[in-house]
Amino acid sequence: MIKLDIIKTAPFVSAETINALAPRVVEAQNALEAGTCPGNDFLGWLHLPSSITPAFLADIKATAAALREECDAVVVAGIGGSYLGAKAVIEALSNSFQWLLADGKAPVILFAGNNIGEDYLSELTAYLRGKRFGVINISKSGTTTETALAFRLLKKQCEEQRGKDVAKRVIVAITDAKRGAARTCADKEGYKSYVIPDNVGGRFSVLTPVGLLPIAVAGFDIDALVRGAQDMEKTAAAPFAENPAAQYAATRYALYMAGKKIEILANYQPKLHFMAEWWKQLFGESEGKDGKGIYPASVDLTTDLHSMGQWIQEGERTIFETVISVEKAEHTLLFPCDEENLDGLNFLAGKRVDEVNKMAELGTQLAHVDGGVPNIRIAIERLDAYHLGQLIYFFEKACGIHCQLLGVNAFNQPGVEAYKKNMFALLGKPGYEKETEAIKNRLK
Ligand code: PA5
């Protein structure tokens, strides 16, 4: 089970301050359970893990197996919550050099629909030319411009290259049960489709088909992922003293109240880069509203110690750091001995590389604490599907609780509309005539 260590926040917020928040955390948990919190029509994630049945997982695995059989590449089209969870888990579990190792036995998983880069899309479609590819089109609203653009391109190319009949088999839609262009298109074309439950918002949807199907297509163990989340669902319902999600939420809140406005999620495994991207969306979009919210940032260490390390050590003291630490490496590699010892590093010869990494982690934490940066450590035993499942639900629950402490609606994202309104006005979308005129006057 995930271990939470908050001891290195003690110089900044006392244990008494954190423990004094316990009644408010319990209140927050009760509000989530009773559905009395703001945004209570989006609480489907709360007991999602325990509601997942073996039959449902079997169906996802069967679809994944069919795609694996018929495709050399599968493009996952989606943005925000409709992409980051799958991307995070697939990256965390894949070989770091998966691109170079592709042996044609399993499809390459690609992502699109998360940007409007003409070069990106041109290069993607060029790469797919002549390939046996399939598409998983993921959009809850079914109207997101980035995803819709990618899907238009990919659908057309897939049909042209593989014929309409095969395209029908290798395009899968994951969308709303009834509404939106993606649903209409899936029903009309007869695609296999999955429903994103009404009461699960995008950034809480990784344990629905949104995350599970791409992860299964990539060949990873979704049973273990769900089992990890189920176990954490139980742990995260425990009383405050034994509940790491509740304690993490309380510690973040105490630090925020003490003026620590930015949380930096640090990892010491490059494979966790996209877990941090997923985490940033989860917390950023959930709590950044009404002029409140901790700004979620991230670094990959030790890499970024050589870029952001200076700022973290000595910049403005409004930050705290949360380290995700993976206890056991999957491989064994020893620091080599070198006869000449020009770099003076022979004292490390014979040690596990992971031991050196762990000492870098501990040394950095201590240095950052000395520099005025409170440190939280979240340890997972291994980087596998089971522990990632735990981590996902742990963060979701902590996020739900923390938003109640802040007094914000965790489950909406009204601010995301502002850029869309301007973009559509600038592009002259029908129905936006007044906005188009106003924005043109503004830019004169
Ligand atoms: O968390 C969210 O709700 C958002 O990030 C959405 O997932 C994102 O905007 C994509 O929306 P949709 O799935 O409707 O295309």
Side-chain angles (χ1 to χ4, degrees):
M1 198 46 69
I2 279 177
K3 283 181 237 144
L4 177 78
D5 181 357
I6 55 171
I7 196 79
K8 292 188 183 63
T9 62
F12 309 92
V13 284
S14 68
E16 292 75 43
T17 306
I18 294 170
N19 289 334
L21 287 166
R24 289 190 57 197
V25 168
V26 171
E27 223 174 89
Q29 282 177 286
N30 291 344
L32 290 171
E33 287 296 337
T36 52
C37 58
N40 54 6
D41 40 354
F42 283 99
L43 289 169
W45 59 274
L46 194 58
H47 294 297
L48 180 67
S50 55
S51 73
I52 295 175
T53 61
F56 168 78
L57 290 174
D59 185 71
I60 297 265
K61 285 184 275 183
T63 304
L67 286 174
R68 283 170 70 84
E69 181 68 36
E70 290 211 70
C71 303
D72 299 325
V74 173
V75 187
V76 180
I79 193 167
S82 289
Y83 126 82
L84 282 164
K87 174 87 175 165
V89 173
I90 291 171
E91 289 268 326
L93 297 177
S94 293
N95 186 292
S96 306
F97 304 97
Q98 54 166 325
W99 310 107
L100 304 173
L101 293 172
D103 57 3
K105 287 193 192 127
V108 174
I109 311 295
L110 303 162
F111 290 86
N114 54 58
N115 64 63
I116 318 180
E118 187 163 344
D119 289 345
Y120 183 91
L121 288 165
S122 303
E123 286 162 16
L124 173 70
T125 49
Y127 169 81
L128 294 171
R129 214 161 287 143
K131 294 218 165 40
R132 295 186 327 137
F133 79 92
V135 185
I136 305 177
N137 185 34
I138 311 178
S139 178
K140 188 169 186 195
S141 63
T143 54
T144 303
T145 309
E146 291 87 343
T147 308
L149 163 65
F151 186 63
R152 278 187 181 211
L153 291 165
L154 294 168
K155 175 178 187 286
K156 191 163 174 286
Q157 187 174 356
C158 187
E159 286 172 353
E160 280 168 8
Q161 278 179 208
R162 308 197 67 182
K164 267 221 151 214
D165 284 346
V166 176
K168 206 190 258 187
R169 290 203 305 271
V170 296
I171 297 178
V172 178
I174 305 178
T175 186
D176 187 81
K178 297 193 191 82
R179 287 179 302 264
R183 168 53 56 201
T184 310
C185 171
D187 291 348
K188 179 174 152 265
E189 301 287 353
Y191 299 149
K192 169 84 180 172
S193 70
Y194 290 95
V195 169
I196 308 174
D198 263 349
N199 60 357
V200 180
R203 56 193 173 275
F204 289 84
S205 69
V206 53
L207 298 167
T208 72
V210 170
L212 296 176
L213 182 63
I215 294 165
V217 174
F220 298 116
D221 186 349
I222 57 170
D223 295 318
L225 187 83
V226 168
R227 220 170 33 249
Q230 288 169 340
D231 287 350
M232 185 48 73
E233 184 184 327
K234 288 187 207 124
T235 302
F240 186 76
E242 295 109 55
N243 184 335
Q247 288 182 20
Y248 175 54
T251 307
R252 294 178 87 240
Y253 187 69
L255 289 167
Y256 182 60
M257 288 292 120
K260 304 297 180 188
K261 307 291 187 192
I262 300 166
E263 178 177 14
I264 302 178
L265 191 74
N267 70 73
Y268 285 79
Q269 300 288 344
K271 289 180 184 190
L272 285 172
H273 175 84
F274 268 93
M275 270 316 279
E277 296 303 313
W278 171 81
W279 171 91
K280 283 196 277 195
Q281 192 219 354
L282 178 68
F283 280 90
E285 213 166 69
S286 299
E287 65 180 52
K289 51 198 71 153
D290 307 334
K292 302 183 211 173
I294 296 171
Y295 183 83
S298 65
V299 286
D300 299 328
L301 303 182
T302 61
T303 312
D304 293 340
L305 289 175
H306 298 261
S307 60
M308 296 306 293
Q310 173 61 36
W311 200 101
I312 298 171
Q313 191 66 41
E314 294 182 352
E316 196 182 342
R317 300 300 72 185
T318 47
I319 57 172
F320 66 99
E321 188 176 47
T322 298
V323 176
I324 302 184
S325 183
V326 181
E327 286 177 337
K328 287 189 197 120
E330 296 300 308
H331 305 280
T332 302
L333 184 67
L334 302 183
F335 209 104
C337 183
D338 185 272
E339 255 177 45
E340 290 187 72
N341 196 24
L342 291 176
D343 51 18
L345 292 175
N346 268 356
F347 73 101
L348 296 174
K351 280 194 196 302
R352 294 271 306 262
V353 170
D354 195 51
E355 189 186 336
V356 179
N357 200 24
K358 290 288 186 304
M359 291 308 108
E361 180 188 313
L362 181 57
T364 304
Q365 265 195 306
L366 294 171
H368 287 176
V369 171
D370 292 345
V373 182
N375 250 261
I376 298 173
R377 182 169 184 264
I378 296 164
I380 61 171
E381 205 181 305
R382 294 179 54 180
L383 200 47
D384 60 13
Y386 174 76
H387 291 93
L388 285 176
Q390 282 191 16
L391 199 58
I392 286 167
Y393 189 84
F394 165 82
F395 280 133
E396 288 181 349
K397 188 71 186 279
C399 180
I401 295 171
H402 191 253
C403 287
Q404 306 312 309
L405 297 175
L406 280 179
V408 298
N409 180 344
F411 310 111
N412 64 3
Q413 51 283 329
V416 179
E417 294 311 309
Y419 97 90
K420 292 184 192 167
K421 197 176 116 216
N422 286 345
M423 178 177 78
F424 289 141
L426 288 165
L427 289 167
K429 184 175 176 176
Y432 280 69
E433 291 75 11
K434 258 182 33 209
E435 287 84 353
T436 300
E437 201 190 320
I439 208 160
K440 281 193 174 153
N441 286 335
R442 183 176 160 184
L443 294 174
K444 265 183 195 157

